[in-house]
Amino acid sequence: MEVEMDRSSKKIPFLKHPTIKKMVRQRYFYLLLIPGVVWAALFAYAPMVGLYMAFVDYQPTLGDFWGSLFKADFVGLQWFQYFFSGQDFWIVMRNTLVSSVLTLSIGFILPIIIAIMLNEARITWFKRTVQTASYLPFFISWVVAASIVITLLSAEGPVNQLLMKIGIIEQGILFMQEGKMFWIIIALSNAWKDMGYNSIMYMAAIAAIPTELFEAAKVDGANRLKQIWHILLPMLRPTIIILLILNIGNLMNTGFDQYFLLGNSLNRSYSDVIDTYAFRYGIQNGMFSYAAAVSMFKSVIAFILVITVNQISKKMGQTHLF
């Protein structure tokens, strides 16, 4: 097979290029990439044609989507101006950014702590039990998770009962009706649901650290805390930086399910984020072009955040995506 390829490369100069030769040698790896590339093309890039909706006055026509889209009146940046000039803009942006920053602050640190603690655990059955218990919430749908949160925080729920029993409060607090408490509730809910699953990547990175480093540090007299501080955390730094860049890129992508399910008319001024705002205007009110413009704005900001944080990391000589 290799002899035939060498003969064909002599006939076709294009095959002599180093990149082509490398692709031919690694052709089976590229074949494995085909399903992922096809999926991304169909479900990630092809729908981007619909971004054109943000620049037109789209009115849906039954059975003729493409015709009604490309024949709609072009309005340019009108929908973006409408969003920026509206009084809802600052409220939605405030809720999105504050809840996202709180979620990032709590939800990014907890998986690292869990991974380190599980790595230090020496009792096998206890380690496996904690791992399983921390992973389970990730596989629970937000419909079920939201019901659990609402039940726990209800006026006669376990949280209020505990607070009254230890004397902190005299009567139950209506947590889900207090708008100012919504941000911390959503941040803790997100952290609880994702911390176990997110810790897997850190545990994999810890498993890749050579054990000789810890043994050498132990010989030099370093206890476990010093080994964690001077060996484990520095070795985890590349993984932490990469995941931090990706998480900051998702800062505007707060999610939809949890805000839609935990939000209500009493806390809407604190629970209404870009995703729920776009849903309400796009699906419920039928302003499809306006909702497309709002969603596109969110995507552009996310792209800028990823590029900015990546460049800052590169300038500081740290790990970066590209």
Side-chain angles (χ1 to χ4, degrees):
M1 179 68 71
E2 297 295 336
V3 174
E4 293 178 0
M5 288 183 180
D6 292 338
R7 291 176 180 176
S8 60
S9 63
K10 293 179 181 179
K11 298 178 181 179
I12 307 175
F14 177 74
L15 297 177
K16 294 182 179 180
H17 194 278
T19 303
I20 301 300
K21 288 184 177 181
K22 186 177 180 180
M23 292 179 66
V24 171
R25 288 196 302 268
Q26 300 177 351
R27 56 191 178 277
Y28 297 113
F29 293 105
Y30 285 98
L31 287 174
L32 292 175
L33 285 174
I34 290 178
V37 172
V38 172
W39 180 90
L42 292 177
F43 296 101
Y45 291 99
M48 291 180 69
V49 177
L51 292 176
Y52 180 70
M53 189 183 298
F55 304 97
V56 299
D57 185 13
Y58 172 71
Q59 299 296 330
T61 302
L62 186 63
D64 188 17
F65 170 76
W66 297 110
S68 58
L69 176 62
F70 291 109
K71 292 179 182 178
D73 296 333
F74 185 81
V75 296
L77 301 177
Q78 174 183 318
W79 296 117
F80 294 94
Q81 294 173 355
Y82 182 73
F83 177 52
F84 297 148
S85 60
Q87 61 179 0
D88 293 334
F89 173 75
W90 295 109
I91 296 175
V92 170
M93 286 298 296
R94 180 200 64 180
N95 296 341
T96 301
L97 292 174
V98 173
S99 59
S100 294
V101 170
L102 281 175
T103 298
L104 179 62
S105 302
I106 299 173
F108 187 76
I109 297 173
L110 279 179
I112 301 175
I113 297 175
I114 290 174
I116 294 174
M117 292 178 65
L118 289 175
N119 182 67
E120 296 301 311
R122 294 293 177 263
I123 304 176
T124 304
W125 68 265
F126 175 77
K127 182 176 181 179
R128 291 178 178 176
T129 302
V130 173
Q131 279 182 305
T132 304
S134 62
Y135 296 164
L136 282 178
F138 180 81
F139 299 100
I140 299 175
S141 70
W142 264 112
V143 175
V144 178
S147 299
I148 294 173
V149 173
I150 293 172
T151 302
L152 290 173
L153 299 178
S154 62
E156 298 180 356
V159 174
N160 274 313
Q161 293 294 329
L162 177 63
L163 293 177
M164 287 189 289
K165 185 171 290 186
I166 61 180
I168 296 179
I169 59 175
E170 295 181 358
Q171 59 181 2
I173 301 173
L174 301 176
F175 288 100
M176 302 311 299
Q177 297 180 18
E178 293 288 339
K180 295 181 180 179
M181 293 184 179
F182 184 83
W183 292 336
I184 190 65
I185 290 173
I186 202 72
L188 291 174
S189 300
N190 283 325
W192 162 72
K193 197 170 186 304
D194 297 335
M195 63 182 182
Y197 183 80
N198 291 337
S199 66
I200 295 176
M201 290 172 281
Y202 296 108
M203 293 186 66
I206 292 173
I209 300 175
T211 56
E212 292 82 2
L213 296 176
F214 295 101
E215 293 172 358
K218 188 176 181 180
V219 170
D220 291 337
N223 56 27
R224 291 304 302 177
L225 287 177
K226 289 184 178 180
Q227 292 175 35
I228 292 172
W229 184 259
H230 294 288
I231 298 176
L232 194 148
L233 287 177
M235 295 296 288
L236 279 181
R237 186 183 301 162
T239 304
I240 293 173
I241 292 174
I242 291 295
L243 293 177
L244 180 61
I245 293 172
L246 294 174
N247 279 309
I248 290 178
N250 287 324
L251 202 62
M252 300 292 290
N253 189 23
T254 55
F256 171 79
D257 297 346
Q258 58 269 48
Y259 289 88
F260 182 76
L261 294 168
L262 294 176
N264 53 60
S265 58
L266 297 174
N267 60 26
R268 177 168 292 176
S269 59
Y270 291 87
S271 64
D272 200 16
V273 293
I274 289 180
D275 290 312
T276 56
Y277 181 80
F279 170 79
R280 191 168 68 253
Y281 276 88
I283 304 300
Q284 295 181 343
N285 296 348
M287 298 175 63
F288 299 102
S289 293
Y290 181 60
V294 173
S295 299
M296 185 177 180
F297 165 75
K298 182 190 75 171
S299 300
V300 170
I301 297 299
F303 176 75
I304 293 173
L305 285 173
V306 170
I307 297 296
T308 302
V309 176
N310 185 76
Q311 290 302 315
I312 292 174
S313 179
K314 183 184 289 187
K315 292 288 184 183
M316 295 176 63
Q318 301 295 331
T319 306
H320 49 85
L321 286 173
F322 45 84

